[in-house]
Amino acid sequence: MDIRGLRAPQDVSQIPTSWYNIVPDLPEQLPPMLKPNGEEVRPEDLEPIFAKELIRQEFSREEYIGIPSKLRETYARLGRPTPLIRARRLEELLDTPARIYYKYEGVMPTGSHKINTAAAQAYYNALEGVKRLTTETGAGQWGSALALGGALYGLKVRVYMVRVSYEQKPYRKVMMQVYGAEVIPSPSELTQSGRAVLREDPDSPGSLGIAISEAVEDAATHEDTKYSLGSVLNHVLLHQTVIGQEAMKQMKELGDYPDVVIGAVGGGSNFAGLTYPFIREVLRGRESTEFIAVEPTAAPTMTRGEIRYDHGDSAGLTPLIYMYTLGHKFVPPPIHAGGLRYHGLAPTLTILVKHGIVKAVAYPQTEVFKAATYFARAEGIIPAPESAHAVKAAIDTALRAKEEGRSTTILFNLSGHGLLDLKGYDDYLAGKLVDAEPG
Ligand SMILES: *Cc1c(COP(=O)(O)O)cnc(C)c1O
């Protein structure tokens, strides 16, 4: 049931008026970011690379931060509120007493939730007179979202795209170019860090770590340019909380409330976006909802990583962040869910997992693609390989409810569609997928 269909689209009054900041509600104080010498990072340290308002939000301890009305209009025009759909045919096929709902972010123009923060970041940068944004992208989901953000607010965007992806996944590159972004295969000759890598290895396939170094250096060395990040940081997770606030309202309108809320986790932004408004109710003792964070066994940050300070990038250029990490040198096996191959985790989510408020599970990709294919045949939507991890956990939860003969309301985030990720499905259907785990 698409409840957005019950009213006129592009209705700004249906867009939340503020983002929810979980930081003041956490069960322990959020440890600060540190410089390599152990000193705390101060807001002004980040000014060469981020817009001032985004830095303010990053350090904010306010519970709610207002969404500017221009940005609420943009959210409405892009298709928010996104639909909350009851997966009735999936329920029937599973023969489960569970009610299964999903929040579908794949209707956003770039195909995932990432535009929710890309639009906000472009908006604030444009407001502060920034002319150009740089970022990195692996598979291209984040790069295409920021490219659209730049197009909407009149900013130039340069995306450093990991060279192997640039060569092997041309469609995301084309998408970014259609939106007017400049896409540079990384490592490149345009930065010192890129040139240093190319001197050592002229055929370097690149990595997300190298691309981050290039994008940060580009922003730091150009007066009119700032850098944008698509996950992990507080302000990025904050922007995604429109998802959960909408879902809470939509569930209430349907007369239901979830017992279990599920999301896939790379850096944690779509998971936080859906769950944090519901977690708030648990932290205040008003609800006893269960939360399941799903990751791949190939990059088991929460289930096998450790909690400590670590760098956000593999080159070690970013500040030290207190988080679950597999180590910033960790190179995950090349699974199809490219957006879940990150070594670290958002600090706020780290604390919630540490305190047992969020439970973490890991699945191998063959099981994930099997669940996603089952879901596609039931509901029609082909999930992004990342989102498919949440699908798998939702199906398992529904089957457990059936075994236990208990009715449960499940809500999961279908963070994106997989129409530009069909290679993964092709490999799955051909029996060519392999499950790799770190040793
Ligand atoms: C990038 C991405 C993810 C993983 O990133 P998070 O910050 O953990 O949300 C998940 N799903 C989709 C569709 C993505 O594009």
Side-chain angles (χ1 to χ4, degrees), residues 111-114 141 230-232 264-271 339-340 384 386-387 415-416:
S112 83
H113 67 289
K114 288 202 170 76
Q141 299 255 32
S231 188
V232 180
V265 172
S269 74
N270 88 86
F271 179 86
L340 306 188
E386 292 85 1
S387 322
S415 52

Short mmCIF file of all heavy atoms in Angstrom, two decimals, residues 111-114 141 230-232 264-271 339-340 384 386-387 415-416, ligand 1:
data_model
loop_
_atom_site.label_atom_id
_atom_site.label_comp_id
_atom_site.label_asym_id
_atom_site.label_seq_id
_atom_site.Cartn_x
_atom_site.Cartn_y
_atom_site.Cartn_z
N GLY A 111 18.14 6.77 -7.19
CA GLY A 111 17.94 5.34 -6.90
C GLY A 111 18.25 4.91 -5.48
O GLY A 111 18.18 3.72 -5.18
N SER A 112 18.59 5.84 -4.59
CA SER A 112 18.83 5.46 -3.20
C SER A 112 18.61 6.65 -2.26
O SER A 112 18.33 7.76 -2.70
CB SER A 112 20.26 4.94 -3.00
OG SER A 112 21.17 6.01 -2.84
N HIS A 113 18.77 6.37 -0.96
CA HIS A 113 18.61 7.39 0.09
C HIS A 113 19.66 8.50 0.03
O HIS A 113 19.52 9.53 0.66
CB HIS A 113 18.70 6.71 1.46
CG HIS A 113 20.07 6.14 1.74
ND1 HIS A 113 20.57 5.04 1.09
CD2 HIS A 113 21.07 6.57 2.56
CE1 HIS A 113 21.80 4.79 1.52
NE2 HIS A 113 22.13 5.70 2.40
N LYS A 114 20.79 8.28 -0.69
CA LYS A 114 21.94 9.18 -0.55
C LYS A 114 21.66 10.64 -0.93
O LYS A 114 22.31 11.55 -0.45
CB LYS A 114 23.13 8.63 -1.32
CG LYS A 114 23.71 7.39 -0.63
CD LYS A 114 25.15 7.14 -1.04
CE LYS A 114 25.80 6.06 -0.19
NZ LYS A 114 25.37 4.71 -0.56
N GLN A 141 27.13 5.21 -6.31
CA GLN A 141 25.84 5.64 -5.72
C GLN A 141 25.98 7.03 -5.11
O GLN A 141 25.13 7.90 -5.31
CB GLN A 141 25.42 4.68 -4.60
CG GLN A 141 25.20 3.26 -5.05
CD GLN A 141 23.74 2.91 -5.13
OE1 GLN A 141 22.93 3.77 -5.42
NE2 GLN A 141 23.41 1.66 -4.90
N GLY A 230 29.57 10.94 2.16
CA GLY A 230 28.24 10.35 2.00
C GLY A 230 27.75 9.48 3.12
O GLY A 230 26.62 8.96 3.06
N SER A 231 28.55 9.26 4.18
CA SER A 231 28.11 8.40 5.29
C SER A 231 28.95 8.71 6.53
O SER A 231 29.71 9.68 6.53
CB SER A 231 28.24 6.92 4.89
OG SER A 231 27.64 6.09 5.86
N VAL A 232 28.79 7.91 7.58
CA VAL A 232 29.64 7.88 8.79
C VAL A 232 29.54 9.11 9.70
O VAL A 232 29.35 8.97 10.89
CB VAL A 232 31.15 7.63 8.45
CG1 VAL A 232 31.99 7.61 9.71
CG2 VAL A 232 31.31 6.32 7.68
N ALA A 264 20.39 -2.31 6.39
CA ALA A 264 21.75 -2.72 6.00
C ALA A 264 22.73 -1.63 6.44
O ALA A 264 22.36 -0.46 6.49
CB ALA A 264 21.82 -2.90 4.49
N VAL A 265 23.96 -2.05 6.73
CA VAL A 265 24.93 -1.07 7.24
C VAL A 265 26.25 -1.12 6.47
O VAL A 265 26.91 -2.16 6.39
CB VAL A 265 25.21 -1.32 8.74
CG1 VAL A 265 26.36 -0.44 9.22
CG2 VAL A 265 23.97 -1.04 9.56
N GLY A 266 26.60 0.04 5.87
CA GLY A 266 27.95 0.25 5.33
C GLY A 266 28.65 1.14 6.34
O GLY A 266 29.27 0.70 7.29
N GLY A 267 28.46 2.45 6.20
CA GLY A 267 28.92 3.39 7.23
C GLY A 267 27.84 3.66 8.26
O GLY A 267 28.11 4.17 9.34
N GLY A 268 26.59 3.35 7.93
CA GLY A 268 25.50 3.46 8.89
C GLY A 268 24.43 4.49 8.57
O GLY A 268 23.49 4.66 9.36
N SER A 269 24.49 5.16 7.41
CA SER A 269 23.58 6.30 7.23
C SER A 269 22.13 5.92 6.94
O SER A 269 21.21 6.52 7.50
CB SER A 269 24.11 7.27 6.17
OG SER A 269 23.95 6.77 4.87
N ASN A 270 21.88 4.92 6.07
CA ASN A 270 20.47 4.59 5.83
C ASN A 270 19.87 3.89 7.03
O ASN A 270 18.69 4.08 7.35
CB ASN A 270 20.30 3.77 4.53
CG ASN A 270 20.44 2.27 4.72
OD1 ASN A 270 19.49 1.59 5.06
ND2 ASN A 270 21.64 1.74 4.53
N PHE A 271 20.70 3.09 7.74
CA PHE A 271 20.22 2.43 8.96
C PHE A 271 19.81 3.46 10.00
O PHE A 271 18.72 3.42 10.56
CB PHE A 271 21.31 1.50 9.52
CG PHE A 271 20.89 0.81 10.79
CD1 PHE A 271 20.18 -0.38 10.75
CD2 PHE A 271 21.18 1.36 12.03
CE1 PHE A 271 19.75 -1.01 11.91
CE2 PHE A 271 20.77 0.75 13.20
CZ PHE A 271 20.05 -0.43 13.15
N GLY A 339 28.72 -0.70 -1.51
CA GLY A 339 28.47 0.29 -0.47
C GLY A 339 28.60 -0.25 0.95
O GLY A 339 28.51 0.50 1.91
N LEU A 340 28.80 -1.57 1.09
CA LEU A 340 28.95 -2.14 2.44
C LEU A 340 30.38 -2.61 2.69
O LEU A 340 30.64 -3.32 3.65
CB LEU A 340 27.98 -3.33 2.63
CG LEU A 340 26.50 -3.09 2.37
CD1 LEU A 340 25.68 -4.31 2.80
CD2 LEU A 340 25.98 -1.85 3.09
N ALA A 384 18.80 -3.07 -4.40
CA ALA A 384 20.26 -2.87 -4.50
C ALA A 384 20.92 -3.98 -3.68
O ALA A 384 20.36 -4.41 -2.66
CB ALA A 384 20.64 -1.50 -3.93
N GLU A 386 23.16 -3.83 -1.58
CA GLU A 386 23.31 -3.37 -0.19
C GLU A 386 21.99 -3.58 0.56
O GLU A 386 21.94 -4.21 1.62
CB GLU A 386 23.68 -1.88 -0.15
CG GLU A 386 25.08 -1.54 -0.68
CD GLU A 386 25.12 -1.36 -2.20
OE1 GLU A 386 24.04 -1.48 -2.84
OE2 GLU A 386 26.22 -1.12 -2.74
N SER A 387 20.91 -3.05 -0.02
CA SER A 387 19.59 -3.15 0.61
C SER A 387 19.17 -4.61 0.79
O SER A 387 18.40 -4.93 1.70
CB SER A 387 18.54 -2.45 -0.25
OG SER A 387 19.05 -1.28 -0.83
N SER A 415 16.85 0.53 0.93
CA SER A 415 17.58 1.79 0.74
C SER A 415 17.78 2.17 -0.73
O SER A 415 18.04 3.33 -1.02
CB SER A 415 18.93 1.72 1.45
OG SER A 415 19.64 0.56 1.06
N GLY A 416 17.65 1.20 -1.65
CA GLY A 416 17.82 1.56 -3.06
C GLY A 416 17.43 0.42 -3.99
O GLY A 416 17.27 -0.71 -3.55
C1 LIG B 1 25.70 3.56 0.01
C2 LIG B 1 24.57 2.64 0.21
C3 LIG B 1 24.40 1.88 1.38
C4 LIG B 1 25.43 1.85 2.49
O1 LIG B 1 25.73 3.08 3.08
P1 LIG B 1 25.12 3.51 4.48
O2 LIG B 1 25.76 4.81 4.78
O3 LIG B 1 25.47 2.44 5.49
O4 LIG B 1 23.66 3.61 4.30
C5 LIG B 1 23.27 1.09 1.53
N1 LIG B 1 22.34 1.03 0.55
C6 LIG B 1 22.46 1.73 -0.61
C7 LIG B 1 21.40 1.59 -1.66
C8 LIG B 1 23.58 2.56 -0.81
O5 LIG B 1 23.69 3.27 -1.95
#
